[in-house]
Structure formats: C-alpha cells, structure tokens
Amino acid sequence: MTTQGRSTLREVKDDACWKEMKLSDTFDTANREQYRPAFHHTPLYGWMNDPNGMFFKDGTWHLYYQYNPYGSKWQNMSWGHSTSKDLITWEHQPVALEVDGLGHVFSGSSVVDSAGTAGFGKDAIVALYTSCDASQYQSMAYSTDGGTTFQRYAGNPVLTLESEARDPNMFWDEKAGQWVMTLAHALDHEILFFTSPDLKVWTLQSAFGKGEGAQDGVWECPDLFKLKVEGTDEEKWVLICNLNPGGPFGGSATQYFIGDFDGKTFTSDTDASGRIPTKWMDFGKDHYATVSWSGTPQNRRTVIGWMSNWQYAAEVPTTQYRSANTLPRDLSLFRAPDGEIYLASAPAAELTALRGTLACKAKKATAGKKPCVFELPAAQRGICEILLDIDARKADSVSIDITNKAGERVALTYNPAAHTLAFDRRNSGLKDFSKDFPAVTVAPTFENGRKISLRIFIDRSSIEVFGNNGHFVSTNLVFPTQPYSKLSVTSHGGSTKISNLNIFSIKEQ
C-alpha cells in the first residue's frame, strides 16, 4: 500500500482499474505473439512442457502434454490434448485430465488395449500417469471414446514406491504375452522395469542405470523400443532417458542407451573399452522429454519432444503461451565409422507437405573466402526449409550463416577434420532474458568423407538442423528481432563445393 501512496484499503477500492475487470469463462485465443511458431505445435494459451500419453488410432495422431491452462508458467499440471491427421496441422481438444485429489497429473503414456486386458473393453485407451502431491504415485485413467474423455480408475493409485518415481511408459510384449513398463527412479538415476498381465497389477523385474550414462540430473520420461540397424537385419533395443540438468550444453537433454531386452532386463552395449557410453539424441539446447507414439502404422517409431530447456523455459519472450514441440521425427539405427551403433532422428515423412514455393535453387556453386549468398523467402517472417550438400574438399572449415538486416546471425560451422557441426546463437537476436541462453552447441557429424547433407527448418523462434538424414540433429530456439533473410556459405583454407541447394517457402497452416 505505502509504495503506491495509499493509506487505506478504501482509497485502493476507488481506483479505476477495478471497474475494468470482468469475470469470464472463455479466453481470447487470437494469436498476439510474433514468436509463435507457424508450423510447430503449441498450446493456444498457457504453459506446456513434456509431451506424454501419445498414441495413433484410426488415422489420428493423439498428442497429450503437460499443461497449465491457467497461466504461462509451470503449475496446475494437467494433460492438454491435440490431434492431427498429418503430423502438421493440429486441432486443439478439451483438457483430457485435470488435477484431482491425488495431485498434479504428471507425465505418462497411453496404449490401445486391443484385447481389453484391463477390463475396460476391447480397444479402450488406457493411460498411466504420475499423480504428484506430497509424494509420487502411478495412476490409471481410461477412455472408451477414442481418447477424447477419460475416467479415473477407482483403484488408483495402481503403483506406489517408497522413493520418488515417475513417468510410466508401457508397451505390449507380444513374445511374453504381457505388458512392460519403464519407470524413472528419478533421484536414484535409474530406470525400473515392471511387467503386468492387465495394466493394473505390476511386478518389479529389474533396474538399469545406476552409475551409468549422464548422472548429473534427475532421470525422467523413459521409453523403450526395438529398431533395426540400417542396411542389416540386426535388431537392437533403445532405452531413452531424459535428464535435467546434465545435458551436454547445460540444462535438460535426452540421452539414450543401445542394448538388448529379454522381457525383464535391459542390458546395455559397451564400447571398445568395455564401458557403457553416454549418447545424446540431439545436440542442441532445446530438445527434451522426447518420447514416442504407441500404435504407429507400419512399425514406425515416431517421436516428438519439448522444444525448450528448463534453464530458461519460463523466461523466453512470449506471454500468451510458453513452449512448442519439436517437429515429429522418425527414428532408426545406424552404425557409424567408429563401429558404434547410434540413433538417427529424421524429419517425419509427412513434413514434405509443408513445402510451398521453391524460392531458391542452385545445382552447383563454389564457396571460398568470398561467400555464396542466397536469399531466404520473405513470406511469413522468413520461415522456410533449406536443403544443401556440402563438400569441404581441403577446406579447414565451412561457415554457414543465417542472417537478417538487423545484423543478427546464427552461425553454423562445419569442421571436417574434427567431424563436427557447431551452432552459435550468441548473436541470433533477443538473448538477455537468461544468462544461459547465449550458447554454442557442437554436434558430431558421424562421417569420414568431408561431406555432409543438411536439412534446416527455420520457424519464427526456432531452427532445427538435421544432418545426413538425421544421423546428427541440433535443435535451438532463436528470437530474431527481424526475420532472417539471407543464407551465406564461406569456405576457409580452401574452396568448398555446394550442391543440390533448395530453399522452400512454407505453406500457411
């Protein structure tokens, strides 16, 4: 009161602002933000973090997510819900699960119970999630209308542990005829494996991870699935484990392990030294809580992540909403020149439908000290997709700069001798909202021939770089004060060949 020069509550009540305040049960969802992505999923309003509960059924992709419908910072955790027929255009649905007497509705997963093992009927959608209040428990909800509305299971919680555990993720093990669940034993930095005949009664079978991989932060949002190694009939299991903090460039990130799973126990592969290596799915700052859809067609393993970082997610320069999802990605395995098997994350095939006009094309060009400069499309604040092949020949390094008229720049640097691609956003635009935002991230390129192929998606507040069909990926937020308008390629210490350059505008969504 005293800071406003008010001596009594009566004087405050006379202020004009009170007459302008109105109660409403609706929210104006017209977009008022220059940095809202044009082709990434975002909530209409409010806060969003982890994707969860995702499944595919009857031609529809269901995306649930951690959601606060009452403000643009973390709180009141519920499951928001969006659906898509094409992984591009998303339709917002009513909130699927809200806070109840057991607490916040934290992350989890959903499956189509095609055999009705849980007793809710054939093809019921069954979700497991973490209820969080004074402690964390695993609870169940089910849907008989295809995932639009859910009912809580009367016997909740279905699983309780004495220590903190969260983010259940389950799948049907056809060989063993039972459900398997991965659960993050968060503070113990390990993943627990349970089995169940009916999604209700769970038996602990094993644990993996203590002392392995990145251990600096809380482990959460696990996922487990099997993939083939490219060009072979070999199959390996992939265990995803997100952690915060402890990422390679600070804050949150997604690590994974390659190995084998016998229905009860996960055994990780080791490297040439006999150690379990730490591997990262994405080498940018803004890729977290990545998990896959269940029930995907044609045995696809399609994932999506939260495109932010816990270091500054609540401080980015948006107000009506906070956070977007990454572009959806299809996963595969490949063997790199070092003999190790790694996870590839390629843009989902559906994303080619984003392409509008071919704004720029160059079959061949040569870059040296004098850069090759290409114009980016001006429509929709410069959003676009860029494809180009780089042959560094004898060059020491190659600079690929994305710039605007304000002098802001995203600098990509390919070092063929070190087999790395660096992403420098220190001068990319707005950055003062967090000391942790200005950063240089570095991705291994997993090649040995001084050649890389890049596919770059530029949206209004993000850049995703996919290299060599997803063999390496770097996802980073950017907040340019003006749209990026030019792409420049400069070669240092020798010439560089550029080929197959195509720049597409993006269709309005």
Side-chain angles (χ1 to χ4, degrees), residues 458-506:
I458 302 177
D459 207 338
R460 291 170 184 153
S461 56
S462 66
I463 296 179
E464 289 163 280
V465 180
F466 297 87
N468 298 343
N469 197 32
H471 282 197
F472 62 95
V473 188
S474 186
T475 300
N476 289 285
L477 296 178
V478 290
F479 297 97
T481 59
Q482 296 182 26
Y484 296 124
S485 55
K486 291 185 184 299
L487 173 74
S488 302
V489 182
T490 309
S491 188
H492 310 279
S495 63
T496 288
K497 180 181 176 182
I498 304 166
S499 58
N500 302 318
L501 181 131
N502 293 276
I503 302 176
F504 293 94
S505 64
I506 300 292

Side-chain angles (χ1 to χ4, degrees), residues 61 167 190 312 324 350 446 496:
W61 301 83
D167 312 334
E190 64 180 357
Y312 43 75
E350 288 86 347
F446 299 113
T496 288

